[in-house]
Amino acid sequence: MNFRIKLFSQVRDSVKRVLGFTLTVALLPIALFRLVGISVRFGKIPCKRYGHLAKNSDLFLRRISAGLIDDDWIVICVLPKGDKEVANHALLELVLRECAKYDRIFVCRSRLLYRNWSWIEEVLQRAGAHIDLGYNSSEVEFSTLPQAIFIPESTRTESQKFLSDMGINVTKPIVGVFVRDSEYLRKVECGRVDRSYHDFRDSKLEAYERAICWLLDSGMQVVRLGKVVRTRSQIKRAGFFDYGFSEKKDDRLELGIVQSLSFIFGSASGPTDVAITLGIPFLATDLAPPHCVPLGKMDMYLPKKLESIESGELVPYFSII
């Protein structure tokens, strides 16, 4: 068994070296471009997770629209159209539609390149041809720069009709609630990667039900968001819809529902990231970690109380920021 593992490791490393050499040769034209004053850089937009697809793409587009990115030619790598690992196909197509407005942005849709990006990125960095399209912490551009991604009105209209069919009065203010659990990441990773270190960000749905009922009593409609969730809400009241357990789920519907909200509250993760990029006010509750969330212009943040594993005592807020 150990021999097989060792052999597999050797074959894998050999393949990487060969592909790395091939890619290095393929990148030689970059040097030629630079000789004539043209700079080309390559980056990857994360497609597998809903929130990162939204906020990383939005941040890139806001910066390039504001002239904060050098006038290079930029090639962005994304997954192919229809790939089952894309978190939200409708959102990705909107992002690429915005990218198409810039003559210096080129799109490469390749599953092979996307899945091997970690070592391809190393080669690009050595060649000085890499652009970081990542999202690091609380970038201020979500508050200071204009919105970059827009949902078509037809999508919003379609989603409102769907909500109306589900018993939501769309003439009243609609509030979204999202309560994070680990079910989504487990499905995305399919056991390939252990993401349990994210579990401290989770919240309990029952802790939010009192707030949901108060909103309903105040004449508002409430939609619980999340494509993949673990716990079904116990609320059985008019004006409340649990989309997480809906029989009909659609990428376009999800975006349209978020766009239809007056505001959203709950855990900071995928649907709330989308809301921030669309300019929907967000009240973050049980926020953890406190510094890794987009800072929207109309948002508020309530940090989660954290206990020390060693002492069991509450950790002072200012010691973790």
Side-chain angles (χ1 to χ4, degrees):
M1 188 66 177
N2 290 334
F3 170 75
R4 290 181 179 179
I5 294 175
K6 184 177 180 180
L7 178 62
F8 172 77
S9 178
Q10 290 175 343
V11 171
R12 181 191 61 192
D13 292 341
S14 297
V15 170
K16 283 188 174 182
R17 282 195 294 270
V18 171
L19 290 177
F21 173 77
T22 303
L23 182 63
T24 301
V25 173
L27 291 176
L28 287 177
I30 296 174
L32 299 179
F33 279 119
R34 291 186 173 180
L35 287 176
V36 296
I38 299 175
S39 179
V40 182
R41 291 192 288 168
F42 298 77
K44 183 193 80 170
I45 289 179
C47 300
K48 294 184 179 181
R49 290 168 63 181
Y50 193 25
H52 285 283
L53 172 57
K55 62 189 179 184
N56 292 43
S57 304
D58 183 63
L59 184 63
F60 166 64
L61 288 168
R62 289 187 191 224
R63 286 174 172 172
I64 201 165
S65 176
L68 300 179
I69 295 178
D70 294 337
D71 293 332
D72 303 328
W73 288 3
I74 299 173
V75 179
I76 57 175
C77 177
V78 298
L79 285 169
K81 189 172 184 177
D83 192 289
K84 64 181 181 180
E85 292 191 341
V86 175
N88 188 294
H89 294 277
L91 177 57
L92 178 57
E93 295 309 313
L94 288 177
V95 169
L96 297 184
R97 186 181 69 180
E98 293 300 318
C99 288
K101 296 179 180 180
Y102 299 91
D103 293 336
R104 62 192 182 98
I105 299 179
F106 304 88
V107 177
C108 173
R109 306 195 77 156
S110 168
R111 182 176 178 82
L112 176 63
L113 293 179
Y114 187 94
R115 296 200 67 175
N116 293 281
W117 192 259
S118 58
W119 59 268
I120 291 174
E121 187 176 47
E122 295 179 9
V123 176
L124 291 170
Q125 288 173 341
R126 288 199 296 269
H130 177 256
I131 180 172
D132 184 10
L133 301 184
Y135 166 82
N136 297 311
S137 57
S138 50
E139 280 84 353
V140 299
E141 287 90 342
F142 294 100
S143 294
T144 60
L145 297 180
Q147 182 177 335
I149 300 175
F150 299 88
I151 306 300
E153 185 60 31
S154 59
T155 300
R156 185 173 183 271
T157 301
E158 178 186 351
S159 298
Q160 288 191 331
K161 183 181 183 304
F162 167 72
L163 290 176
S164 181
D165 293 341
M166 295 298 105
I168 295 295
N169 186 343
V170 296
T171 65
K172 294 183 177 181
I174 303 174
V175 179
V177 57
F178 174 71
V179 182
R180 187 191 188 281
D181 60 40
S182 56
E183 199 67 19
Y184 175 77
L185 277 185
R186 286 200 178 99
K187 182 176 181 180
V188 169
E189 300 295 354
C190 299
R192 294 185 296 255
V193 181
D194 181 10
R195 299 288 186 183
S196 59
Y197 63 89
H198 278 282
D199 289 353
F200 76 101
R201 299 168 56 199
D202 293 351
S203 299
K204 295 182 179 179
L205 179 59
E206 55 266 28
Y208 287 81
E209 292 186 339
R210 184 177 176 184
I212 294 172
C213 289
W214 181 86
L215 290 167
L216 294 172
D217 291 339
S218 300
M220 302 183 190
Q221 308 289 281
V222 181
V223 178
R224 189 265 186 104
L225 294 167
K227 181 188 294 186
V228 181
V229 291
R230 180 183 304 159
T231 307
R232 185 188 296 270
S233 174
Q234 299 302 308
I235 297 177
K236 308 292 183 183
R237 293 182 53 179
F240 176 74
F241 173 52
D242 194 338
Y243 177 76
F245 287 90
S246 171
E247 294 181 359
K248 182 179 180 181
K249 293 180 181 178
D250 179 84
D251 288 352
R252 281 165 46 88
L253 285 179
E254 289 183 39
L255 296 178
I257 290 173
V258 174
Q259 184 67 76
S260 301
L261 301 177
S262 295
F263 71 91
I264 187 171
F265 74 103
S267 314
S269 198
T272 63
D273 291 335
V274 174
I276 291 174
T277 65
L278 298 179
I280 306 299
F282 171 41
L283 171 60
T285 56
D286 284 338
L287 180 62
H291 55 282
C292 292
V293 64
L295 297 176
K297 183 183 297 184
M298 298 180 288
D299 303 338
M300 299 178 66
Y301 306 88
L302 300 176
K304 188 175 189 175
K305 292 182 178 180
L306 299 177
E307 292 183 353
S308 168
I309 296 176
E310 298 177 353
S311 67
E313 297 180 352
L314 289 177
V315 178
Y317 177 71
F318 287 104
S319 69
I320 56 177
I321 60 174

